[in-house]
């Protein structure tokens, strides 16, 4: 009964979404206040109904109701409770319901917290947001219904994909969707502004919090996905340039560009056209990611579905919204004339350079991701674009971004002086060079990647410190510290995010340049060395299927002792798992996490002579990658909690001459 109610709630929400899409838009056009007022209760009602629908599906998974086809195909009674819940979105239909839940949540938040918006703009924003909801309601109800029942359900289900039975993957999709879907608000604001014919400083301030929230959630989602790939897949890496990884990276890059571009529009009323275009493209690339994951046009461990018909539906949504928005953008080009002017050396110019580097890097990732598909469709050749292409084509843009970031953040608006900005930065540059030279001197027979990573990472981090210090003005040391503590949260958020970026740049270069690897076969009791560490394979035992212990798999469990200079360091427990219900194997790496390094061991297959294949790594600064990602997300959160992000730019303007509908 609850399942049917969840399905009915979804249908009812679809009807309300249609009303919200049409009535407020007409009201805004005609100036009818009561028609525009329909948007607020409709947005709230949509969210409540979809939340109930999602709760009904969750109840079916938690209670193992195998009469629901989706539960049958993606759950099992022996599965731990965490993965029963995460199984709700660990499949195509459930993940799309989560997508729709977040989409309606953002629409409801725009209604709840948008009281400062002009009434016509708010009505149009909510109407555009609801039009996106309508498209996904139709997609779910007509192609991906999660509430389909079967007449004679079996005793137990087929289980969730074992790769998804992991804490990292339990939380990765919700955060990623919060980022993907959050960009729909920037899109709705952009389209509403184009319809209204008004893009100004106030609009830029209104759109920034939504973009910042989406970027923050995307950062967390991408970080969780990278962390999961690192410890779960057993290959020892953190980023594979997989098409679906790229599909999340592209909107993240464009959202970062949009954040910086909106600052220029807010402060100087420049880059209006570019900011609107970025808002459209950022959400467009989110839809593109959805298409890649669900259409079957690419192969990925992240992919949810392999259904061309569903892919065509999502492609139609992408073409309609992005194509329609770009057409409207072209029609309104004359209304987007920039007012502010600025010199070549200015913060505006630095932010333009920042935008160009981020946008072009996103375009490079797009070309590398989509090119195999294009080649297969046009010339019939099967091509593979891998890490070497992306590393060589993508890295130079982030090198350039790192170089311009510290001075660009400190330049004055409109007209700046480069020598005046570089003067306080000379100490940061000198220290960064000194650390790079030290790294070069300590390493032997290795590439320049490590020292360059040290140079760029230190330059960005120390530059952020100098920027924060200079914001305190000229005063005594104690007075400056006091002023720094009182700086707005947005300044602290900027400092934290830039510091996190510098740490990530350094950590990636350091790990890739200085990691050591060993692959061999080892007998029980055998010892081998890797760098300064000694590894002893003490035992390999079989762990039986035991749901009472939260173990719905059979595993070969290795025990490897690690020591250094005769002193015990850690015991690692790598596993090779096999999930009998799903019939799939997985690998669990044994990792000793440290502040300066990770010791990483993967257990392979047993050989004919009784020895076991073992792959071992020592990975310097591995955890700094995710630590830096957390800092970037915290920086976004700090900026988002700045009061200036939540207050209107200027007093709320009432719609003049509003006429009630008869």
């Amino acid at each position: 009964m609850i399942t049917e109610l969840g399905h009915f709630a979804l249908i009812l929400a679809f009807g309300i979404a249609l009303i919200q899409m049409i009535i407020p838009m007409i009201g805004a056009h005609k100036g009818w206040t009561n028609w525009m007022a329909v948007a607020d209760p409709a947005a709230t009602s949509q969210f409540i109904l979809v939340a109930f629908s999602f709760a009904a599906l969750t109840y079916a998974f938690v209670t193992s109701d195998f009469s629901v086809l989706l539960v049958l195909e993606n759950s099992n009674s022996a599965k731990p409770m965490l993965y029963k819940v995460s199984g709700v979105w660990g499949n195509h239909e459930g993940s799309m319901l989560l997508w729709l839940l977040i989409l309606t949540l953002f629409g409801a938040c725009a209604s709840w917290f948008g009281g400062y918006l002009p009434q016509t703009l708010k009505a149009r924003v909510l109407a555009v947001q609801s039009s996106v909801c309508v498209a996904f309601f139709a997609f779910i109800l007509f192609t991906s219904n999660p509430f389909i029942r079967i007449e004679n359900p079996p005793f137990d289900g087929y289980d969730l994909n074992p790769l998804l039975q992991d804490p990292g993957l339990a939380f990765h999709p919700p955060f990623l969707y919060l980022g993907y879907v959050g960009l729909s608000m920037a899109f709705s604001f952009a389209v509403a502004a184009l319809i209204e014919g008004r893009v100004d400083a106030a609009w830029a301030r209104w759109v920034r919090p939504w973009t910042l929230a989406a970027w923050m959630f995307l950062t967390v989602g991408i970080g969780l996905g990278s962390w999961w790939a690192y410890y779960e897949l057993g290959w020892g890496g953190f980023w594979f340039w997989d098409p679906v990884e790229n599909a999340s990276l592209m909107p993240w890059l464009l959202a970062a560009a949009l954040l910086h571009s909106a600052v220029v529009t807010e402060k100087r009323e420049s880059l209006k056209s570019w900011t609107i275009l970025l808002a459209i493209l950022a959400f467009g690339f989110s839809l593109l990611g959805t298409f890649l994951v669900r259409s079957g046009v690419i192969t990925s461990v992240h992919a949810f579905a392999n259904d061309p018909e569903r892919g065509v539906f999502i492609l139609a949504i992408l073409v309609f919204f992005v194509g329609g928005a770009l057409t409207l953008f072209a029609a309104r080009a004359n209304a987007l004339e920039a007012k502010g002017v600025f010199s070549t050396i200015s913060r505006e110019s630095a932010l333009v350079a920042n935008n160009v580097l981020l946008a072009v890097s996103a375009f490079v990732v797009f070309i590398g991701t989509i090119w195999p598909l294009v080649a297969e469709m046009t010339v019939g050749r099967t091509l593979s674009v891998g890490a070497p292409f992306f590393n060589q084509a993508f890295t130079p843009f982030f090198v350039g971004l790192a170089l311009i970031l510290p001075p660009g953040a400190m330049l004055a608006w409109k007209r700046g002086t480069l020598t005046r900005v570089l003067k306080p930065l000379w100490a940061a540059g000198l220290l960064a060079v000194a650390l790079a030279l030290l790294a070069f001197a300590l390493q032997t027979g290795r590439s320049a990647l490590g020292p360059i990573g040290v140079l760029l990472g230190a330059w960005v981090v120390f530059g952020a410190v100098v920027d924060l210090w200079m914001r305190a003005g000229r005063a005594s040391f104690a007075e400056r510290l006091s002023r720094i503590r009182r700086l707005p949260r947005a300044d602290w958020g900027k400092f934290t995010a830039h510091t996190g970026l510098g740490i990530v740049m350094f950590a990636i270069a350091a790990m890739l340049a200085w990691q050591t690897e060993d692959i061999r076969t080892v007998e029980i009791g055998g010892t081998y060395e890797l760098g300064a560490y000694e590894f002893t394979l003490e035992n390999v035992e079989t762990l039986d299927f035991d749901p009472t212990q939260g173990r719905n798999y059979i595993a070969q469990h290795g025990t490897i002792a690690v020591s250094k200079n005769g002193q015990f360091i850690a015991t690692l427990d790598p596993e090779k798992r096999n999930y009998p219900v799903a019939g799939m194997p997985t690998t669990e790496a044994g990792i000793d996490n440290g502040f300066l390094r990770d010791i990483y061991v993967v257990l392979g297959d047993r050989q004919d002579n009784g020895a076991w294949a073992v792959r071992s790594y020592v990975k310097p600064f591995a955890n700094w990658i995710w630590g830096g990602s957390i800092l970037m997300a915290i920086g976004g959160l700090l900026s988002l909690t700045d009061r200036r992000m939540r207050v209107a730019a200027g007093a709320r303007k009432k719609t003049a001459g509003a006429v009630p509908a008869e």
Side-chain angles (χ1 to χ4, degrees):
M1 180 64 179
I2 292 180
T3 299
E4 282 69 29
L5 287 174
H7 189 194
F8 177 74
L10 204 59
I11 296 171
L12 185 58
F14 182 28
I16 294 174
L18 286 167
I19 294 171
Q20 183 183 331
M21 178 181 69
I22 298 169
I23 301 300
M25 188 68 77
I26 295 174
H29 179 70
K30 297 289 189 179
W32 295 340
T33 304
N34 52 352
W35 282 46
M36 289 187 279
V38 169
D40 288 319
T44 301
S45 300
Q46 266 196 77
F47 170 66
I48 292 173
L49 288 167
V50 176
F52 177 82
S53 181
F54 188 83
L57 185 63
T58 304
Y59 179 80
F61 269 86
V62 169
T63 58
S64 296
D65 183 359
F66 298 118
S67 68
V68 179
L69 180 61
L70 193 67
V71 179
L72 174 67
E73 293 178 341
N74 295 279
S75 191
N76 184 268
S77 58
K79 194 167 62 171
M81 181 57 68
L82 172 63
Y83 305 132
K84 287 185 178 180
V85 174
S86 64
V88 177
W89 56 80
N91 56 82
H92 168 71
E93 291 83 356
S95 67
M96 289 312 303
L97 186 58
L98 175 63
W99 174 287
L100 190 57
L101 174 67
I102 296 172
L103 193 62
T104 56
L105 172 62
F106 273 98
C109 286
S111 170
W112 300 335
F113 305 115
Y116 53 82
L117 293 171
Q119 190 174 24
T120 54
L121 179 64
K122 181 181 179 182
R124 289 184 170 116
V125 167
L126 292 176
V128 174
Q129 184 75 4
S130 191
S131 69
V132 180
C133 293
V134 165
F136 281 95
F137 273 119
F139 177 68
I140 289 179
L141 291 171
F142 299 143
T143 73
S144 309
N145 185 359
F147 296 106
I148 296 175
R149 284 202 185 263
I150 55 177
E151 188 174 351
N152 297 305
F155 178 73
D156 216 336
Y158 305 149
D159 208 0
L160 179 67
N161 184 338
L163 286 174
L164 304 180
Q165 296 188 40
D166 178 88
L169 258 289
F171 299 105
H172 163 64
F175 277 104
L176 206 59
Y177 287 5
L178 282 165
Y180 273 153
V181 180
L183 290 173
S184 67
M185 285 306 306
F187 174 84
S188 296
F189 267 92
V191 173
L194 289 172
I195 294 172
E196 196 157 290
R198 176 189 172 190
V199 179
D200 53 16
W203 175 88
R205 172 164 289 201
W206 293 327
V207 81
R208 278 180 63 201
W210 302 103
T211 307
L212 183 59
W215 179 86
M216 180 185 69
F217 287 127
L218 266 178
T219 302
V220 175
I222 292 171
L224 282 173
S226 170
W227 179 54
W228 167 80
Y230 174 70
Y231 71 78
E232 173 67 22
L233 297 183
W235 62 291
F238 62 93
W239 193 262
F240 192 66
W241 293 107
D242 178 276
V244 179
E245 290 176 333
N246 296 346
S248 63
L249 179 61
M250 288 183 285
W252 183 87
L253 293 168
L254 291 172
L258 174 58
L259 276 175
H260 293 86
S261 177
V263 172
V264 180
T265 303
E266 178 187 344
K267 300 291 185 182
R268 301 288 302 148
E269 293 211 31
S270 297
L271 304 185
K272 293 181 182 180
S273 298
W274 178 243
T275 303
I276 290 286
L277 183 62
L278 281 175
I280 295 170
L281 292 180
F283 182 58
F285 273 94
S286 294
L287 293 177
L288 176 66
T290 308
F291 168 72
L292 291 175
V293 173
R294 300 166 199 282
S295 63
V297 298
I298 53 93
T299 301
S300 168
V301 296
H302 305 72
F304 275 122
N306 186 7
D307 189 338
E309 291 184 4
R310 289 171 174 170
V312 169
F313 201 118
I314 296 176
L315 186 61
I317 294 174
L318 170 64
V319 171
F320 175 80
F321 283 103
V322 177
L326 291 177
T327 302
L328 183 60
F329 173 77
R332 290 288 195 180
N334 293 334
L336 301 176
E337 182 181 356
K339 294 182 180 179
V341 293
F342 50 87
S343 68
T344 304
I345 306 299
S346 62
R347 188 177 298 186
E348 291 95 328
S349 294
L351 289 171
V352 168
N354 160 289
N355 269 228
V356 170
L357 291 169
L358 288 169
V360 174
S361 62
F363 181 71
V364 166
V365 176
F366 171 72
I367 293 298
T369 304
I370 211 73
W371 184 250
L373 178 62
V374 174
E376 186 173 354
M377 292 175 60
T378 56
V379 297
R381 294 183 59 187
T382 302
L383 300 177
S384 176
V385 179
F389 165 80
F390 288 107
N391 290 338
Q392 293 180 27
F394 180 83
T395 303
F397 296 104
F398 260 68
V399 171
L401 187 68
L403 291 174
I404 69 170
L405 197 154
M410 296 175 62
L411 280 169
W413 292 104
K414 192 174 182 180
R415 184 178 293 106
T417 305
L418 196 57
T419 54
R420 185 176 181 180
V421 169
L422 291 177
K423 186 176 180 180
L425 283 171
W426 71 267
L430 188 63
L431 187 55
V433 171
L435 288 174
L437 291 175
L438 178 63
F440 183 76
L442 290 176
Q443 71 174 25
T444 55
R446 296 182 182 271
S447 71
L449 177 62
I452 290 175
V454 171
L455 173 65
L456 295 175
W459 170 242
V460 172
V461 172
F462 295 147
V465 173
V466 171
D467 182 23
L468 195 69
W469 181 255
M470 295 302 294
R471 287 180 180 276
R474 294 188 178 183
S476 65
F477 183 81
E479 179 62 24
R480 276 195 170 187
L481 288 179
S482 177
R483 289 179 183 179
I484 287 173
R485 286 196 297 269
R486 297 195 302 268
L487 284 174
R489 291 184 184 178
D491 289 340
W492 278 102
K494 173 186 171 184
F495 163 76
T496 307
H498 287 181
T499 299
L501 177 63
I503 290 172
V504 169
M505 287 180 170
F506 157 72
I508 290 174
M511 194 177 88
L512 293 178
W514 298 331
Q515 74 174 0
T516 54
E517 178 183 1
D518 179 89
I519 303 175
R520 64 175 66 222
T521 58
V522 187
E523 297 180 348
I524 302 297
T527 299
Y528 63 97
E529 295 183 355
L530 177 59
Y533 298 94
E534 294 181 349
F535 297 77
T536 302
L537 179 60
E538 295 182 339
N539 189 29
V540 178
E541 61 178 331
T542 300
L543 300 179
D544 293 327
F545 186 89
D546 187 0
T548 62
Q549 299 296 319
R551 191 165 58 239
N552 59 328
Y553 54 84
I554 301 169
Q556 299 297 324
H557 178 91
T559 303
I560 298 178
V562 182
S563 60
K564 182 179 181 180
N565 299 326
Q567 293 186 343
F568 173 78
I569 300 295
T571 297
L572 305 183
D573 301 289
E575 290 183 351
K576 285 183 64 66
R577 295 179 178 177
N578 188 284
Y579 290 75
V581 177
M584 286 183 61
T586 66
T587 300
E588 294 287 326
I591 306 174
D592 178 52
N593 299 114
F595 181 69
L596 297 178
R597 58 91 188 112
D598 274 5
I599 300 174
Y600 185 107
V601 176
V602 179
L603 183 68
D605 296 324
R606 186 176 183 179
Q607 308 301 300
D608 293 338
N609 61 359
W612 291 83
V614 178
R615 189 164 71 252
S616 310
Y617 302 88
V618 177
K619 295 179 172 292
F621 302 103
N623 287 309
W624 290 39
I625 296 174
W626 299 288
S629 300
I630 292 171
L631 279 179
M632 284 194 285
I634 291 174
L637 182 61
L638 284 172
S639 296
L640 196 61
T641 57
D642 191 315
R643 183 176 179 275
R644 295 173 301 172
M645 281 283 187
R646 295 176 279 113
V647 189
R652 179 182 176 182
K653 298 180 179 179
K654 301 290 184 181
T655 304
V659 180
E662 295 181 359

